[in-house]
């Protein structure tokens, strides 16, 4: 009898775990990055009172940037907990795929780590009746250079050395260029395994913009979403690159800081010419993003970033993820939910989530304009 009762309790516990897991997957996708490195749950920054559901209802589909995946999962979790009967489904794929879906009219908004190009804006007019697609900066953050080199816990690199590593010019970890930047560090002769994105990626575009701006002699390729350099190995999405770096000795790759934090991957400090190499942190990324200028017009808030800053404590390898929406001509059935959800993500509570999870909030001066643009969506 005791054994039977024990088995019943075990089955009940397993059933509860399955149900709990299904709820997490429904709200947050397949990867649970809402925990700290020690496995404890991260606190939510949003109380129900911080989120205004307004007339939101039904299902909202969105897709795009995997760079903001971890942030969006937490936003969705908080938002759906506050707004009963509303489902927000964000498919984390790539910036390129998100913009394609947006311009096909299959999503309410798209996430992209680079602003719409003129031809994409023109194409958006077919789905934004009487309007066009605009860029709303919502997520900032450092692009971390994660590394896995046995016996090496701290690593400094400059832009030229990073360019030569990813351009297949530097092939061993004990190369003289790396040793010069890391005096006193014992570097092995392990072969470098450089990982890049296989999909068209706004993260790739930002990394290559940084390399082209900060090390033009070492990086001959034009910035683009598609990886152009020879050599290296490819993986799908930021999560895919991070997984490979974690597994492979001698690996280096690029992905958003939250992926490094959730998987315990060490990150490179960048030698920018400042007094000391700069760590990849949300605060240090904010210092670089704060110098950005608005390059868009009207409700379009596309930014121009400075990848060559030498300001103390400013981490220059940053990206800004935009939520791409129609300024006018949004679908009537999803517009209330789009506005309600984006109002939350741009709120003080929504932006606080970013800083707590390895991202960087959008500077207040720019974010004020984002909130105004959201209110005017039609």
């Amino acid at each position: 009898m005791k054994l039977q009762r024990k088995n019943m309790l075990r089955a009940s516990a397993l059933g509860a775990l399955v149900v709990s897991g299904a709820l997490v997957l429904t709200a947050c996708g397949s990867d649970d990055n809402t925990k700290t490195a020690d496995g404890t749950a991260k606190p939510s920054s949003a109380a129900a009172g911080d989120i205004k559901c307004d007339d939101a209802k039904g299902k909202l589909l969105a897709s795009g940037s995997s760079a903001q995946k971890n942030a969006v999962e937490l936003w969705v979790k908080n938002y759906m907990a506050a707004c009963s009967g509303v489902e927000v489904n964000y498919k984390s794929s790539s910036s390129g795929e998100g913009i394609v879906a947006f311009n096909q009219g299959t999503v309410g908004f798209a996430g992209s780590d680079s602003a719409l190009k003129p031809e994409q804006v023109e194409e958006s007019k077919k789905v934004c009746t009487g309007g066009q697609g605009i860029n709303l900066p919502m997520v900032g953050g450092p692009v971390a250079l994660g590394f896995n080199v046995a016996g090496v816990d701290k690593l400094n690199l400059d832009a030229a050395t990073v360019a030569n590593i990813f351009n297949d010019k530097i092939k061993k970890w004990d190369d003289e260029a790396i040793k010069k930047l890391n005096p006193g560090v014992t570097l092995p002769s392990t072969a470098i395994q450089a990982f890049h994105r296989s999909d068209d990626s706004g993260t790739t575009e930002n990394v290559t913009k940084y390399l082209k701006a900060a090390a033009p002699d070492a990086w001959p390729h034009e910035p683009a979403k598609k990886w152009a350099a020879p050599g290296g190995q490819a993986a799908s999405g930021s999560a895919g690159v991070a997984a490979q770096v974690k597994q492979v000795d001698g690996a280096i790759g690029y992905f958003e800081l939250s992926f490094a934090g959730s998987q315990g991957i060490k990150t490179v400090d960048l030698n920018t010419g400042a007094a000391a190499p700069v760590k990849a942190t949300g605060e240090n990324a904010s210092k670089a993003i704060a110098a950005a200028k608005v390059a868009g017009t009207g409700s379009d808030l596309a930014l121009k970033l400075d990848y060559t800053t030498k300001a103390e404590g400013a981490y220059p390898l940053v990206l800004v993820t935009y939520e791409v929406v129609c300024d006018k001509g949004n679908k009537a059935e999803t517009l209330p939910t789009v506005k309600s959800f984006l109002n939350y993500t741009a709120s003080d509570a929504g932006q606080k989530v970013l800083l707590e999870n390895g991202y960087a909030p959008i500077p207040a001066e720019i974010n004020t304009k984002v909130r105004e643009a959201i209110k005017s969506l039609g």
Side-chain angles (χ1 to χ4, degrees):
M1 186 69 182
K2 287 182 178 179
L3 181 61
Q4 184 180 14
R5 178 172 175 79
K6 184 183 287 186
N7 287 338
M8 288 174 66
L9 288 171
R10 183 180 297 169
S12 175
L14 285 171
L17 282 172
V18 170
V19 171
S20 173
L23 289 172
V24 171
L25 290 173
T26 299
C28 301
S30 59
D31 294 328
D32 184 5
N33 289 297
T34 61
K35 291 185 172 65
T36 57
D38 63 5
T40 58
K42 290 181 180 178
S44 170
S45 293
D50 295 326
I51 298 173
K52 302 294 186 290
C53 303
D54 297 325
D55 297 321
K57 60 184 178 181
K59 180 184 288 188
L60 172 62
L61 300 179
S63 69
S65 163
S66 67
Q68 66 172 0
K69 172 181 179 289
N70 294 345
V72 173
E73 285 183 349
L74 290 165
W75 281 335
V76 167
K77 182 179 180 181
N78 292 342
Y79 182 79
M80 287 173 56
C83 298
S84 177
V86 180
E87 181 182 346
V88 179
N89 188 327
Y90 182 81
K91 179 186 176 184
S92 171
S93 50
S94 68
S95 298
E97 290 181 48
I99 290 173
V100 168
F102 177 76
N103 280 339
Q104 289 176 342
T106 60
V107 294
F109 70 89
S112 177
D113 308 325
S114 56
L116 292 169
K117 293 182 167 44
E119 62 271 19
Q120 293 170 332
V121 173
E122 196 61 33
E123 189 179 353
S124 74
K125 294 177 182 179
K126 297 174 185 176
V127 294
C128 301
T129 309
Q132 65 180 45
I134 58 171
N135 306 282
L136 301 179
M138 198 67 70
V139 181
V143 180
L145 295 168
F147 69 95
N148 178 4
V149 183
V152 179
D153 294 321
K154 183 175 173 56
L155 187 67
N156 299 327
L157 297 175
D158 59 16
T161 307
V162 173
N164 283 325
I165 286 172
F166 281 101
N167 203 30
D168 206 30
K169 301 292 186 184
I170 294 178
K171 300 178 184 291
K172 300 280 188 180
W173 279 110
D174 61 353
D175 187 276
E176 287 301 321
I178 301 176
K179 288 167 69 173
K180 185 177 179 181
L181 293 165
N182 295 275
V185 176
T186 302
L187 293 162
S189 59
T190 308
I192 294 174
Q193 307 286 338
F195 287 90
H196 58 266
R197 291 279 291 272
S198 60
D199 46 333
D200 286 2
S201 159
T203 308
T204 294
E205 185 167 14
N206 281 276
V207 168
T208 53
K209 280 180 178 178
Y210 162 73
L211 294 175
K212 188 68 173 177
D217 293 338
W219 191 258
H221 315 287
E222 288 304 312
K225 289 186 175 73
K226 188 172 183 64
W227 187 258
Q233 301 176 61
S236 178
S238 293
V241 174
Q244 290 298 317
V245 171
K246 185 174 178 63
Q247 292 177 55
V248 177
D249 183 29
I252 185 171
Y254 58 87
F255 35 80
E256 295 64 44
L257 183 62
S258 62
F259 289 90
S262 65
Q263 298 200 42
I265 298 171
K266 296 182 284 289
T267 62
V268 169
D269 294 350
L270 285 179
N271 187 328
T272 64
V278 185
K279 293 185 178 300
T281 68
E283 292 87 347
N284 291 345
S286 286
K287 292 176 184 177
I289 295 171
K293 306 296 182 187
V294 175
T297 57
S299 297
D300 183 78
L301 298 172
L303 302 177
K304 182 175 177 57
L305 299 168
D306 180 7
Y307 296 100
T308 62
T309 180
K310 293 179 174 58
E312 296 300 324
Y315 183 85
L317 181 45
V318 296
L319 60 74
V320 168
T321 296
Y322 301 95
E323 311 311 340
V324 176
V325 294
C326 296
D327 57 357
K328 303 297 178 187
N330 290 278
K331 292 178 181 178
E333 63 269 27
T334 56
L335 177 59
T337 309
V338 169
K339 293 180 75 169
S340 171
F341 181 69
L342 295 184
N343 273 327
Y344 162 55
T345 64
S347 70
D348 290 340
Q351 290 291 294
K352 187 181 178 185
V353 167
L354 299 180
L355 197 55
E356 291 175 349
N357 291 280
Y359 292 96
I362 299 301
E365 183 180 348
I366 298 170
N367 196 39
T368 297
K369 297 176 182 178
V370 171
R371 295 176 187 180
E372 292 171 356
I374 294 168
K375 289 179 184 176
S376 70
L377 298 179

